[in-house]
Amino acid sequence: MKAKVGMEVSWHLRMLLFISFASSFLNVSYAQTNNDYDTPAAPPPGLSNCNGVFLTYSFTSRDKEYPHIKNATAQAWAFKSSATIVNTGEYEVKAWQMFVGFQHKETLVSATGATIVDSDDFPVDASNGTTFAGGSQADLKTSIETAGDFTQISAQIDITGTQFGVKPPGVPMPSIIKLVNNGYKCPKATMRGSYNY
Ligand SMILES: *[C@@H]1O[C@H](CO)[C@@H](O)[C@H](O)[C@H]1NC(C)=O
Ligand SMILES: *[C@@H]1O[C@H](CO)[C@@H](O)[C@H](O)[C@H]1NC(C)=O
């Protein structure tokens, strides 16, 4: 029980840190396409700010799957990634839906913390991208109405699946992440240039 509370707190802290990081990152990215982060500790996430709703996608890890083959384009990799959505705006987001534009022949095997729109069963062919929606928590409340309770204004999706053809140090990022809900505009997701595969 204690450990669980600790984990939740650290997740909230990470999100807080992330949001401040995200704001400065957006500024940097929009200000200039070149940058001088030569050896980042981890690839920066793709992120998008849709009218105050922050979306992120982070690649976590991968392992080569069988069969191991010489043709790098056809090699399958088991991967883990996570996506987050945080409502930092002034309006509740009812029935949020987040589109992730997968582009490396992804097959999703699990997505903890969300459901997949238009699909009931795993595995899901996500090669043309796929849309996630909230699981038990379909709406994202505002900070104002929850006194900044992260569990109610945000959601995290932990994804596992298979992708093809992107070996290290390449990072298989989606082409786009966006909030599908009506009335929200999302600029093209920003990423560090060399990670934008
Ligand atoms: C490698 O795999 C890709 C994707 O399956 C295929 O299109 C390509 O022809 C293969 N190349 C060789 C040299 O076999
Ligand atoms: C992906 O898009 C292509 C081209 O529009 C289509 O042929 C294919 O059936 C789609 N695959 C899935 C799983 O929707």
Side-chain angles (χ1 to χ4, degrees), residues 57 59 61-65 76-82 102 104-112 122-124 126 132 158-164 172:
Y57 180 93
F59 183 75
S61 66
R62 100 195 85 194
D63 291 298
K64 202 181 266 190
E65 283 182 5
W77 298 83
F79 77 96
K80 288 186 172 40
S81 65
S82 66
F102 292 109
H104 304 99
K105 298 189 183 141
E106 280 86 347
T107 293
L108 305 189
V109 172
S110 70
T112 307
F122 290 99
V124 171
F132 298 96
D158 292 310
I159 299 162
T160 62
T162 294
Q163 59 93 1
F164 287 86

Side-chain angles (χ1 to χ4, degrees), residues 23-180:
S23 317
S24 56
F25 185 77
L26 276 172
N27 293 339
V28 169
S29 300
Y30 285 139
Q32 53 186 74
T33 47
N34 277 337
N35 59 56
D36 48 18
Y37 307 148
D38 274 340
T39 48
L47 59 92
S48 194
N49 176 2
C50 314
N51 303 107
V53 181
F54 272 90
L55 309 181
T56 71
Y57 180 93
S58 323
F59 183 75
T60 312
S61 66
R62 100 195 85 194
D63 291 298
K64 202 181 266 190
E65 283 182 5
Y66 294 114
H68 292 180
I69 50 181
K70 287 218 173 103
N71 183 347
T73 311
Q75 178 64 54
W77 298 83
F79 77 96
K80 288 186 172 40
S81 65
S82 66
T84 62
I85 176 167
V86 184
N87 184 9
T88 64
E90 52 188 310
Y91 305 107
E92 190 167 339
V93 184
K94 294 274 191 197
W96 63 267
Q97 291 199 351
M98 175 178 183
F99 178 79
V100 177
F102 292 109
Q103 55 181 345
H104 304 99
K105 298 189 183 141
E106 280 86 347
T107 293
L108 305 189
V109 172
S110 70
T112 307
T115 59
I116 292 190
V117 177
D118 296 331
S119 187
D120 296 328
D121 285 318
F122 290 99
V124 171
D125 181 343
S127 52
N128 290 342
T130 201
T131 303
F132 298 96
S136 51
Q137 195 184 330
D139 306 330
L140 299 175
K141 300 207 166 186
T142 67
S143 270
I144 293 161
E145 64 188 342
T146 62
D149 179 356
F150 262 87
T151 61
Q152 296 187 69
I153 69 170
S154 67
Q156 176 166 345
I157 312 167
D158 292 310
I159 299 162
T160 62
T162 294
Q163 59 93 1
F164 287 86
V166 184
K167 62 181 179 185
V171 179
M173 294 295 277
S175 59
I176 187 174
I177 50 175
K178 65 181 180 185
L179 187 63
V180 180

